[in-house]
Amino acid sequence: MPPPPGPRQPVPPNAWPRPGVPPYGQLPPPRPPRTTPPWWQREGVVSRLLAVAGVAVTLTGVVMLLVLAAQAGWFGPVPRVAAGAVFSAVLVAAGIRVSGRAGGRVGGIALAATGIAGGYLDVLAVTTLYGWLHPIPGLAVAFGIAAGGVALAMQWRSQPFAVLVVAGVAVLAPALTGDLALIAFLIALMAACLPVHRRFDWPLLQIARTLPAVLATLWAVADAVIDDPVGDRVPWILIGATVIALLGAVGVVDSVRRRPKDIVATVAFGLATVPLLSMPALFDRPAAAVVSGITAAALLGAAALTSAASLRIPLHTRATAAVAGALALLATCVSVTADDTLPIALLAVAVAFLAVGSQAKSLLAAVLGTAFGVLGTGLLCTLANIETLTTQRLAVDDLGFATAVAAVLAVAAAGLGFRCLRTVAPNRDTGADSVFGVIAALIALYATTVTTVSIGVATGAEDGFVAGHSAATILWMAGATAALFSGLRLLTRAPAAAKVALVAGLLVTAAALAKLFLFDLATLDGLVRVLAFLVVGVLLLLAGTRYARAFAEAAAERQEIAAERQE
């Protein structure tokens, strides 16, 4: 009889062989290679493809039953409509039944989605193709069918179900109707999908419910512009575009307050505003200005109001509303101005945005103000180009009080833009400060010249052109002196700000001297030229004296500090 086994001895940590580890020098056995089955053998791929194809083909058949049968005179209107309704109801019932069986989810979704979309198309045909229902009850019935489909999709927690219904209706509805009726039924479909986003993050449905109504409205706008821009349908298109924008706003608020990172909802909202932004194309200038102005006020007001932290609206949504409002405001400026006054409107808007950005430390307002400022300054430079400023005949013809006002606003926009940089981004790089300071100074120099020359020629005086250039040179040097004095005052307290001011002041000084000797000396004459040289010379003497004294004081202060440290 064998002796009973003794207790198991523990394995030392460095003993070989260790369980599951091959001995030293021996490689582990190779793992069997993973084989990826082809796409047509993967679980669910083929079934989903067949389901989508089945939905498309079946809905096409429903539309053929409603349209082609009517064109060919097959059956009668009542049998065609009744057959479509019964067929849709049977598909929905079959989908609900199949979905409860093992492996029947894909088939159930496809069948039910086809039935609901078919029922929606059947109501659309009854309302628009046959005219049996007034549009209001027809829209109500269609909305009820779509809402029922959305409720079923929410119950099944299936985004593909909802997307199939919306996409099926959107693709095939144009075969049954067009223009205003199509827009109305797509808006009803869009509204029926809104409750989904309170519970589920379904990004594909966000786009699918918005894009069809947007495209249909844009098509109607283009058709109205080409065909009959003053027809009776234009107010209805405007109403449709407004409703689409409102539904987009409601949808994005419902989504982003629960999911702040929902970028797709913001994109859908941006798409929903596009038809409303295109509406001024259908009206003459006064009416277009009213439409775009109201749109701008609503969108910019919404962006401003939703900036409150208690509303929990993320920045990307507020930025989308603000950009859309800025585009509408741009359309308003174009509608209410002429070519020579458009820079005034753009630069006035730029000044307003930049003032808000500087006061509220709003990067968004600063960016929008900069965009309007660039547009307005670019147009001003086109009207008052270098050739116009240096040629008296062209200046008399093209410049006036309008360009003078625009130039003053350009100077204000340049100054506010630089202030916004220092306010919105306090922890900025001083190199960037210097670059933006130089850009602002160049804009201010050019705009100052435009202002003085425009005022000079607008007065109608014989020497107004040369007097304007003389005043411009003096103002250049005065601005340079002010910048140098400001930089010298900040030399010890704020070295970074002092550097920016001194660099800008020295550059403007160089520009003023270059203008004085290269242009004014050859163009100006008489007392005007003498006055320009005298004033610029005195300012240079003052600036040089103050510059030397400031650096001497700074050196003395450093010596005193060093002596105190040695003691």
Side-chain angles (χ1 to χ4, degrees), residues 217-315:
T217 308
L218 291 177
W219 180 269
V221 170
D223 183 61
V225 169
I226 296 172
D227 182 24
D228 186 12
V230 294
D232 295 337
R233 55 182 175 166
V234 170
W236 292 106
I237 298 175
L238 176 60
I239 293 173
T242 304
V243 173
I244 291 172
L246 290 175
L247 291 176
V250 172
V252 74
V253 169
D254 278 346
S255 298
V256 298
R257 291 189 65 186
R258 292 167 175 79
R259 297 174 296 276
K261 296 183 179 180
D262 192 352
I263 303 294
V264 178
T266 299
V267 172
F269 167 62
L271 289 174
T273 62
V274 173
L276 195 56
L277 295 178
S278 68
M279 288 307 300
L282 299 182
F283 298 93
D284 54 9
R285 291 174 70 94
V290 172
V291 172
S292 57
I294 294 175
T295 303
L299 290 171
L300 292 175
L305 291 175
T306 54
S307 60
S310 59
L311 295 178
R312 303 193 311 275
I313 304 298
L315 177 61

Side-chain angles (χ1 to χ4, degrees), residues 305-395:
L305 291 175
T306 54
S307 60
S310 59
L311 295 178
R312 303 193 311 275
I313 304 298
L315 177 61
H316 56 84
T317 303
R318 288 185 277 117
T320 301
V323 170
L327 291 174
L329 189 56
L330 177 61
T332 306
C333 293
V334 173
S335 299
V336 299
T337 58
D339 293 340
D340 58 338
T341 56
L342 179 57
I344 297 177
L346 295 177
L347 289 167
V349 172
V351 168
F353 272 124
L354 291 171
V356 171
S358 177
Q359 183 68 27
K361 297 182 179 180
S362 171
L363 177 61
L364 180 58
V367 170
L368 292 176
T370 302
F372 274 91
V374 169
L375 288 175
T377 305
L379 287 176
L380 176 63
C381 292
T382 301
L383 294 174
N385 52 47
I386 295 178
E387 184 181 5
T388 302
L389 285 177
T390 56
T391 306
Q392 185 171 1
R393 177 181 55 83
L394 295 177

Side-chain angles (χ1 to χ4, degrees), residues 42-283:
R42 296 176 193 171
E43 182 181 0
V45 174
V46 175
S47 61
R48 289 186 177 91
L49 291 176
L50 291 175
V52 172
V55 172
V57 172
T58 306
L59 288 177
T60 304
V62 171
V63 172
M64 292 174 65
L65 174 66
L66 296 171
V67 178
L68 298 182
Q71 294 176 355
W74 301 339
F75 316 113
V78 175
R80 288 193 294 267
V81 172
V86 171
F87 185 63
S88 299
V90 169
L91 288 176
V92 174
I96 295 174
R97 182 178 180 84
V98 169
S99 64
R101 298 178 180 177
R105 179 173 176 82
V106 174
I109 289 173
L111 289 170
T114 306
I116 291 171
Y120 198 96
L121 294 172
D122 197 61
V123 175
L124 179 60
V126 168
T127 306
T128 61
L129 193 61
Y130 300 114
W132 295 348
L133 276 177
H134 189 272
I136 294 179
L139 286 171
V141 175
F143 177 82
I145 293 174
V150 169
L152 189 58
M154 294 172 66
Q155 181 180 352
W156 289 357
R157 297 178 180 270
S158 173
Q159 180 179 202
F161 182 9
V163 172
L164 282 175
V165 172
V166 175
V169 172
V171 171
L172 294 174
L176 297 174
T177 187
D179 206 9
L180 298 179
L182 178 63
I183 295 172
F185 275 87
L186 291 178
I187 288 175
L189 187 66
M190 180 181 179
C193 297
L194 284 180
V196 173
H197 308 297
R198 295 190 176 185
R199 292 183 53 189
F200 301 107
D201 181 15
W202 289 355
L204 292 179
L205 185 61
Q206 293 271 18
I207 302 300
R209 71 175 178 83
T210 306
L211 192 58
V214 169
L215 293 178
T217 308
L218 291 177
W219 180 269
V221 170
D223 183 61
V225 169
I226 296 172
D227 182 24
D228 186 12
V230 294
D232 295 337
R233 55 182 175 166
V234 170
W236 292 106
I237 298 175
L238 176 60
I239 293 173
T242 304
V243 173
I244 291 172
L246 290 175
L247 291 176
V250 172
V252 74
V253 169
D254 278 346
S255 298
V256 298
R257 291 189 65 186
R258 292 167 175 79
R259 297 174 296 276
K261 296 183 179 180
D262 192 352
I263 303 294
V264 178
T266 299
V267 172
F269 167 62
L271 289 174
T273 62
V274 173
L276 195 56
L277 295 178
S278 68
M279 288 307 300
L282 299 182
F283 298 93

